[in-house]
Amino acid sequence: MLDQKRVKEAETNVKSYLSERLLSRQDFQEGVFNILIKNANESLDTANFLYTNNKSKLWVIVSSYYSMFYIANAVLYRLGYKVGDKISHKVTSDALVVFVKDKLRESLIEDYEEIKEEALLLAKNKAEDLVEKFDYERKKRSFIQYQTKETEKSSKAETSLNRAKDFIYEMKKLLDDLNRKK
């Protein structure tokens, strides 16, 4: 679960990113959006292929993370925000906390409408969990890519792939909701 300190940090950072143009308001262009979706799907397909064929565990983790990164940027773009080139991974992570977490919660509540009281708690926890998983995978990808032995990578590859699949599934549902409301 995201703690209040992390949420406050993200809010402060996003204000700074907007003023420094590391994150900017952007008019929607279908072509840019489609490229982000294509990259997310391609990255997830690559992770699946590598995992299924017992190839590089490192690149299962890296490709899984990038599938999450691209779909997150697609959602932010749909909401009118474009992440710049500098520290883009951290900007994306913080922007998810600020702009997407509550929208995910609302989307999940619609899915769980029949069990309303439980749904509020479940949706809040799931939304925070999804955003937190992105942040965790961002940090893990960096650590594993540069500091981990091959034998240690194997146990983490499947977890990364499953997180990416769950993250992409929920983000695509959110995008469907956003598209219906526009």
Side-chain angles (χ1 to χ4, degrees), residues 14 17-18 22-28 32-33 36 72-84 91-92 95-96 98-100 103 182:
V14 164
Y17 300 152
L18 287 165
L22 297 172
L23 180 67
S24 58
R25 296 292 283 162
Q26 189 82 33
D27 290 334
F28 184 80
V32 172
F33 178 77
L36 292 167
N73 276 280
V75 169
L76 290 169
Y77 190 73
R78 171 56 78 191
L79 293 172
Y81 295 95
K82 174 90 170 73
V83 175
V91 172
T92 299
L96 281 176
V98 173
F99 299 120
V100 178
K103 290 185 182 337
K182 288 222 174 210

Side-chain angles (χ1 to χ4, degrees), residues 23-178:
L23 180 67
S24 58
R25 296 292 283 162
Q26 189 82 33
D27 290 334
F28 184 80
Q29 294 178 14
E30 193 75 31
V32 172
F33 178 77
N34 289 339
I35 288 169
L36 292 167
I37 296 295
K38 177 185 169 292
N39 289 349
N41 291 333
E42 187 176 308
S43 296
L44 187 60
D45 289 346
T46 298
N48 262 321
F49 173 82
L50 294 170
Y51 182 78
T52 302
N53 292 290
N54 201 25
K55 300 291 182 186
S56 169
K57 302 301 184 209
L58 165 66
W59 285 100
V60 170
I61 293 165
V62 171
S63 298
S64 294
Y65 166 75
Y66 271 98
S67 69
M68 297 168 75
F69 175 75
Y70 286 121
I71 196 74
N73 276 280
V75 169
L76 290 169
Y77 190 73
R78 171 56 78 191
L79 293 172
Y81 295 95
K82 174 90 170 73
V83 175
D85 296 334
K86 293 181 182 173
I87 64 168
S88 58
H89 298 272
K90 179 66 172 149
V91 172
T92 299
S93 180
D94 289 339
L96 281 176
V97 172
V98 173
F99 299 120
V100 178
K101 177 178 59 76
D102 290 338
K103 290 185 182 337
L104 268 171
R105 181 181 51 80
E106 292 166 15
S107 175
L108 291 163
I109 286 172
E110 290 173 13
D111 290 349
Y112 301 121
E113 199 168 287
E114 294 172 7
I115 50 172
K116 289 181 181 172
E117 288 304 313
E118 266 184 68
L120 289 170
L121 181 58
L122 252 163
K124 177 183 181 285
N125 291 343
K126 174 107 180 177
E128 289 182 4
D129 186 51
L130 285 166
V131 172
E132 192 172 40
K133 282 179 181 175
F134 177 88
D135 206 30
Y136 179 76
E137 286 297 315
R138 176 182 63 85
K139 292 172 186 171
K140 183 171 84 174
R141 186 261 324 164
S142 177
F143 176 76
I144 289 200
Q145 195 168 356
Y146 302 112
Q147 301 174 32
T148 306
K149 297 175 186 169
E150 190 62 34
T151 54
E152 297 169 353
K153 293 174 189 172
S154 182
S155 66
K156 301 191 182 312
E158 184 176 10
T159 301
S160 293
L161 182 58
N162 288 333
R163 282 183 179 154
K165 287 178 181 178
D166 185 41
F167 188 82
I168 286 195
Y169 174 78
E170 295 298 342
M171 296 300 261
K172 283 185 175 181
K173 282 186 0 192
L174 177 60
L175 281 170
D176 287 344
D177 290 348
L178 293 171

